[in-house]
Amino acid sequence: MLSSVLLLLLITGAQAAYYGAVITNSFGDIQPFVLTYNFIESGSSCQEVDIWHCGGNCTTPPFYAIDESRNEWCQKTEVRIYTTYGPRTFAYQHSVGSSNWIENRNGIVTPSLKISNDFRNRSDISKPNSTPQTTILPLVRVPSNCQRNINLLISDPDGDDIRCRYAAGPECNICTPPSVLSLSSSCSLSFSPTNSSAEGPYAVQMMVEDFPRQTITLTDGNTGVQEVKTTSIAIGSIPFQFVFRVDPAAPSCTAGEFLPRFLPPTPEHGVQILINVNQSLKISIRSEASQAEITELLFSGPPGVTKNSSGSGNFTLTWRPIAGDGGLNYPLCFVVQANSSGSVYQSDLRCVFVTTGNTTVSHPNTTTPQPTTITLTTTTNQPTTTTTPPMSSTPNATPVPGPYYVLALDAMISTTLSMKNDSATIMNLIKEELKRQGLPSDIIVKLLSSREVGVTTPAP
């Protein structure tokens, strides 16, 4: 006898959390101008980022993994190319699904991202404005007793004046800046030693803006209407968000003891590295921490960067730009982490510019296998859809460790087994199928309810 049964299952994992994002856009140098839109987003797992950004199906357009710190955060990026954008002022407000910021000391809960730019023709460069270009790791950390200056690396393709400030007003839901950080308009963050009561994570919500260095005119190509921008009026504004964690005090703040320090041939902060399209770039990174064990290198940069370790404190970042990267200037930031008696110590943040030769601005189409889709109903009865992502075709692909959330799966199965007598066997089969679809082996599957909806007897 074949019975059909409706099941409501609770699938449980760790708590999901948002770790920040950066959104930029830029224009190439060849007419008709092509707009490149880059969205970098960070969460507690790679699968969570997929769900927030594109409902779980991040294959069209691809959402590439940049890097991840196991059991802590994952950073991904989406790059979109637009040939039609219109001569207008662009403003976009983005909400991050149903996720909340990681629990933080300054009380920021709901993420909010606002980017604005002006796509009208600039009189000084005869093309639309490009926003500042930058990146950041999802989590920057420092011991509570150690001074730390964080010099962000930000460039502007149009040579504009770059200024930073904390987000305010409609740019965030709660806009309380982190009390332990000082931010200068020149985009330098400063942390001074504090007491243990200030330890913990802080949500950093910043805006990076570009201002013309001289008065310019913006012209609407369709209507001819013009607007003047002075040196005190921003043309573009991008969100810049990450988590800053104040850790317990370190036994020593001297770089190279507990806190890793960089050694040659590690490139200096702010260095520009030139590379031609379709040539491989290798960046050697060497570090030491005499009183701690160096465990990993963490980075944020363009899609396709891979990392390798060749012994304690020795790492290599490798990148091979494709045709669509020609003429672009990518920031690449990294830190080294060490561990001692369960405490984690992070080096200074170091960033370089990677500039590619050639000025081809078209990106090739990318084909990625279609994932298997599971339709879910949440416990609030709001329908959502998530997917089991395939292995990415990008060189830096890493297996997704998620899901890190609680879901209710509403499903119907047909089986010759009885829910009354064989429920344990059925639950185990369902769990094995979910694991086969890509969910982790440590998921917990609970039966919330079941209902027999029909009984059929196969024809003899």
Side-chain angles (χ1 to χ4, degrees), residues 420-431:
K420 181 178 180 180
N421 301 319
D422 306 303
S423 60
T425 301
I426 293 175
M427 295 296 292
N428 186 60
L429 290 171
I430 292 172
K431 181 176 179 179

mmCIF file with all atom_site columns, all heavy atoms in Angstrom, residues 420-431:
data_model
loop_
_atom_site.group_PDB
_atom_site.id
_atom_site.type_symbol
_atom_site.label_atom_id
_atom_site.label_alt_id
_atom_site.label_comp_id
_atom_site.label_asym_id
_atom_site.label_entity_id
_atom_site.label_seq_id
_atom_site.pdbx_PDB_ins_code
_atom_site.Cartn_x
_atom_site.Cartn_y
_atom_site.Cartn_z
_atom_site.occupancy
_atom_site.B_iso_or_equiv
_atom_site.pdbx_formal_charge
_atom_site.auth_seq_id
_atom_site.auth_comp_id
_atom_site.auth_asym_id
_atom_site.auth_atom_id
_atom_site.pdbx_PDB_model_num
ATOM 1  N N   . LYS A 1 420 ? 2.926  5.847  11.696 1.00 0.00 ? 420 LYS A N   1
ATOM 2  C CA  . LYS A 1 420 ? 2.626  5.399  13.051 1.00 0.00 ? 420 LYS A CA  1
ATOM 3  C C   . LYS A 1 420 ? 3.696  4.444  13.576 1.00 0.00 ? 420 LYS A C   1
ATOM 4  O O   . LYS A 1 420 ? 4.138  4.547  14.732 1.00 0.00 ? 420 LYS A O   1
ATOM 5  C CB  . LYS A 1 420 ? 1.252  4.726  13.080 1.00 0.00 ? 420 LYS A CB  1
ATOM 6  C CG  . LYS A 1 420 ? 0.847  4.243  14.480 1.00 0.00 ? 420 LYS A CG  1
ATOM 7  C CD  . LYS A 1 420 ? -0.539 3.624  14.452 1.00 0.00 ? 420 LYS A CD  1
ATOM 8  C CE  . LYS A 1 420 ? -0.940 3.136  15.850 1.00 0.00 ? 420 LYS A CE  1
ATOM 9  N NZ  . LYS A 1 420 ? -2.299 2.533  15.851 1.00 0.00 ? 420 LYS A NZ  1
ATOM 10 N N   . ASN A 1 421 ? 4.123  3.528  12.706 1.00 0.00 ? 421 ASN A N   1
ATOM 11 C CA  . ASN A 1 421 ? 5.053  2.497  13.155 1.00 0.00 ? 421 ASN A CA  1
ATOM 12 C C   . ASN A 1 421 ? 6.493  2.715  12.701 1.00 0.00 ? 421 ASN A C   1
ATOM 13 O O   . ASN A 1 421 ? 7.416  2.129  13.270 1.00 0.00 ? 421 ASN A O   1
ATOM 14 C CB  . ASN A 1 421 ? 4.582  1.120  12.659 1.00 0.00 ? 421 ASN A CB  1
ATOM 15 C CG  . ASN A 1 421 ? 3.196  0.777  13.160 1.00 0.00 ? 421 ASN A CG  1
ATOM 16 O OD1 . ASN A 1 421 ? 2.863  1.045  14.316 1.00 0.00 ? 421 ASN A OD1 1
ATOM 17 N ND2 . ASN A 1 421 ? 2.376  0.193  12.293 1.00 0.00 ? 421 ASN A ND2 1
ATOM 18 N N   . ASP A 1 422 ? 6.673  3.502  11.623 1.00 0.00 ? 422 ASP A N   1
ATOM 19 C CA  . ASP A 1 422 ? 8.011  3.630  11.023 1.00 0.00 ? 422 ASP A CA  1
ATOM 20 C C   . ASP A 1 422 ? 8.473  5.085  10.952 1.00 0.00 ? 422 ASP A C   1
ATOM 21 O O   . ASP A 1 422 ? 9.248  5.459  10.066 1.00 0.00 ? 422 ASP A O   1
ATOM 22 C CB  . ASP A 1 422 ? 8.007  3.029  9.613  1.00 0.00 ? 422 ASP A CB  1
ATOM 23 C CG  . ASP A 1 422 ? 7.507  1.602  9.588  1.00 0.00 ? 422 ASP A CG  1
ATOM 24 O OD1 . ASP A 1 422 ? 8.096  0.771  10.287 1.00 0.00 ? 422 ASP A OD1 1
ATOM 25 O OD2 . ASP A 1 422 ? 6.516  1.343  8.871  1.00 0.00 ? 422 ASP A OD2 1
ATOM 26 N N   . SER A 1 423 ? 8.001  5.944  11.848 1.00 0.00 ? 423 SER A N   1
ATOM 27 C CA  . SER A 1 423 ? 8.325  7.377  11.749 1.00 0.00 ? 423 SER A CA  1
ATOM 28 C C   . SER A 1 423 ? 9.826  7.628  11.870 1.00 0.00 ? 423 SER A C   1
ATOM 29 O O   . SER A 1 423 ? 10.379 8.495  11.184 1.00 0.00 ? 423 SER A O   1
ATOM 30 C CB  . SER A 1 423 ? 7.577  8.163  12.833 1.00 0.00 ? 423 SER A CB  1
ATOM 31 O OG  . SER A 1 423 ? 7.933  7.708  14.123 1.00 0.00 ? 423 SER A OG  1
ATOM 32 N N   . ALA A 1 424 ? 10.528 6.874  12.723 1.00 0.00 ? 424 ALA A N   1
ATOM 33 C CA  . ALA A 1 424 ? 11.973 7.083  12.888 1.00 0.00 ? 424 ALA A CA  1
ATOM 34 C C   . ALA A 1 424 ? 12.718 6.782  11.597 1.00 0.00 ? 424 ALA A C   1
ATOM 35 O O   . ALA A 1 424 ? 13.650 7.511  11.208 1.00 0.00 ? 424 ALA A O   1
ATOM 36 C CB  . ALA A 1 424 ? 12.497 6.201  14.018 1.00 0.00 ? 424 ALA A CB  1
ATOM 37 N N   . THR A 1 425 ? 12.288 5.706  10.924 1.00 0.00 ? 425 THR A N   1
ATOM 38 C CA  . THR A 1 425 ? 12.924 5.347  9.649  1.00 0.00 ? 425 THR A CA  1
ATOM 39 C C   . THR A 1 425 ? 12.670 6.418  8.601  1.00 0.00 ? 425 THR A C   1
ATOM 40 O O   . THR A 1 425 ? 13.579 6.821  7.863  1.00 0.00 ? 425 THR A O   1
ATOM 41 C CB  . THR A 1 425 ? 12.387 3.996  9.148  1.00 0.00 ? 425 THR A CB  1
ATOM 42 O OG1 . THR A 1 425 ? 12.645 2.999  10.131 1.00 0.00 ? 425 THR A OG1 1
ATOM 43 C CG2 . THR A 1 425 ? 13.035 3.610  7.830  1.00 0.00 ? 425 THR A CG2 1
ATOM 44 N N   . ILE A 1 426 ? 11.445 6.923  8.537  1.00 0.00 ? 426 ILE A N   1
ATOM 45 C CA  . ILE A 1 426 ? 11.099 7.964  7.564  1.00 0.00 ? 426 ILE A CA  1
ATOM 46 C C   . ILE A 1 426 ? 11.899 9.233  7.839  1.00 0.00 ? 426 ILE A C   1
ATOM 47 O O   . ILE A 1 426 ? 12.441 9.858  6.927  1.00 0.00 ? 426 ILE A O   1
ATOM 48 C CB  . ILE A 1 426 ? 9.588  8.243  7.599  1.00 0.00 ? 426 ILE A CB  1
ATOM 49 C CG1 . ILE A 1 426 ? 8.819  7.021  7.091  1.00 0.00 ? 426 ILE A CG1 1
ATOM 50 C CG2 . ILE A 1 426 ? 9.242  9.470  6.754  1.00 0.00 ? 426 ILE A CG2 1
ATOM 51 C CD1 . ILE A 1 426 ? 7.313  7.156  7.210  1.00 0.00 ? 426 ILE A CD1 1
ATOM 52 N N   . MET A 1 427 ? 12.010 9.643  9.107  1.00 0.00 ? 427 MET A N   1
ATOM 53 C CA  . MET A 1 427 ? 12.758 10.851 9.453  1.00 0.00 ? 427 MET A CA  1
ATOM 54 C C   . MET A 1 427 ? 14.224 10.713 9.084  1.00 0.00 ? 427 MET A C   1
ATOM 55 O O   . MET A 1 427 ? 14.855 11.651 8.593  1.00 0.00 ? 427 MET A O   1
ATOM 56 C CB  . MET A 1 427 ? 12.614 11.136 10.953 1.00 0.00 ? 427 MET A CB  1
ATOM 57 C CG  . MET A 1 427 ? 11.196 11.477 11.380 1.00 0.00 ? 427 MET A CG  1
ATOM 58 S SD  . MET A 1 427 ? 10.605 12.997 10.624 1.00 0.00 ? 427 MET A SD  1
ATOM 59 C CE  . MET A 1 427 ? 11.669 14.167 11.430 1.00 0.00 ? 427 MET A CE  1
ATOM 60 N N   . ASN A 1 428 ? 14.779 9.530  9.312  1.00 0.00 ? 428 ASN A N   1
ATOM 61 C CA  . ASN A 1 428 ? 16.183 9.310  8.972  1.00 0.00 ? 428 ASN A CA  1
ATOM 62 C C   . ASN A 1 428 ? 16.394 9.381  7.454  1.00 0.00 ? 428 ASN A C   1
ATOM 63 O O   . ASN A 1 428 ? 17.384 9.947  6.976  1.00 0.00 ? 428 ASN A O   1
ATOM 64 C CB  . ASN A 1 428 ? 16.650 7.965  9.499  1.00 0.00 ? 428 ASN A CB  1
ATOM 65 C CG  . ASN A 1 428 ? 18.133 7.750  9.312  1.00 0.00 ? 428 ASN A CG  1
ATOM 66 O OD1 . ASN A 1 428 ? 18.948 8.509  9.817  1.00 0.00 ? 428 ASN A OD1 1
ATOM 67 N ND2 . ASN A 1 428 ? 18.498 6.717  8.555  1.00 0.00 ? 428 ASN A ND2 1
ATOM 68 N N   . LEU A 1 429 ? 15.448 8.838  6.675  1.00 0.00 ? 429 LEU A N   1
ATOM 69 C CA  . LEU A 1 429 ? 15.547 8.900  5.214  1.00 0.00 ? 429 LEU A CA  1
ATOM 70 C C   . LEU A 1 429 ? 15.459 10.341 4.723  1.00 0.00 ? 429 LEU A C   1
ATOM 71 O O   . LEU A 1 429 ? 16.173 10.747 3.804  1.00 0.00 ? 429 LEU A O   1
ATOM 72 C CB  . LEU A 1 429 ? 14.446 8.050  4.586  1.00 0.00 ? 429 LEU A CB  1
ATOM 73 C CG  . LEU A 1 429 ? 14.583 6.527  4.735  1.00 0.00 ? 429 LEU A CG  1
ATOM 74 C CD1 . LEU A 1 429 ? 13.319 5.836  4.248  1.00 0.00 ? 429 LEU A CD1 1
ATOM 75 C CD2 . LEU A 1 429 ? 15.799 6.034  3.954  1.00 0.00 ? 429 LEU A CD2 1
ATOM 76 N N   . ILE A 1 430 ? 14.581 11.135 5.353  1.00 0.00 ? 430 ILE A N   1
ATOM 77 C CA  . ILE A 1 430 ? 14.453 12.542 4.965  1.00 0.00 ? 430 ILE A CA  1
ATOM 78 C C   . ILE A 1 430 ? 15.748 13.293 5.272  1.00 0.00 ? 430 ILE A C   1
ATOM 79 O O   . ILE A 1 430 ? 16.243 14.092 4.460  1.00 0.00 ? 430 ILE A O   1
ATOM 80 C CB  . ILE A 1 430 ? 13.261 13.189 5.692  1.00 0.00 ? 430 ILE A CB  1
ATOM 81 C CG1 . ILE A 1 430 ? 11.952 12.592 5.170  1.00 0.00 ? 430 ILE A CG1 1
ATOM 82 C CG2 . ILE A 1 430 ? 13.263 14.707 5.509  1.00 0.00 ? 430 ILE A CG2 1
ATOM 83 C CD1 . ILE A 1 430 ? 10.740 13.027 5.960  1.00 0.00 ? 430 ILE A CD1 1
ATOM 84 N N   . LYS A 1 431 ? 16.311 13.031 6.457  1.00 0.00 ? 431 LYS A N   1
ATOM 85 C CA  . LYS A 1 431 ? 17.562 13.698 6.826  1.00 0.00 ? 431 LYS A CA  1
ATOM 86 C C   . LYS A 1 431 ? 18.681 13.332 5.854  1.00 0.00 ? 431 LYS A C   1
ATOM 87 O O   . LYS A 1 431 ? 19.464 14.193 5.429  1.00 0.00 ? 431 LYS A O   1
ATOM 88 C CB  . LYS A 1 431 ? 17.950 13.324 8.252  1.00 0.00 ? 431 LYS A CB  1
ATOM 89 C CG  . LYS A 1 431 ? 19.232 14.009 8.726  1.00 0.00 ? 431 LYS A CG  1
ATOM 90 C CD  . LYS A 1 431 ? 19.527 13.698 10.185 1.00 0.00 ? 431 LYS A CD  1
ATOM 91 C CE  . LYS A 1 431 ? 20.822 14.368 10.630 1.00 0.00 ? 431 LYS A CE  1
ATOM 92 N NZ  . LYS A 1 431 ? 21.117 14.105 12.057 1.00 0.00 ? 431 LYS A NZ  1
#
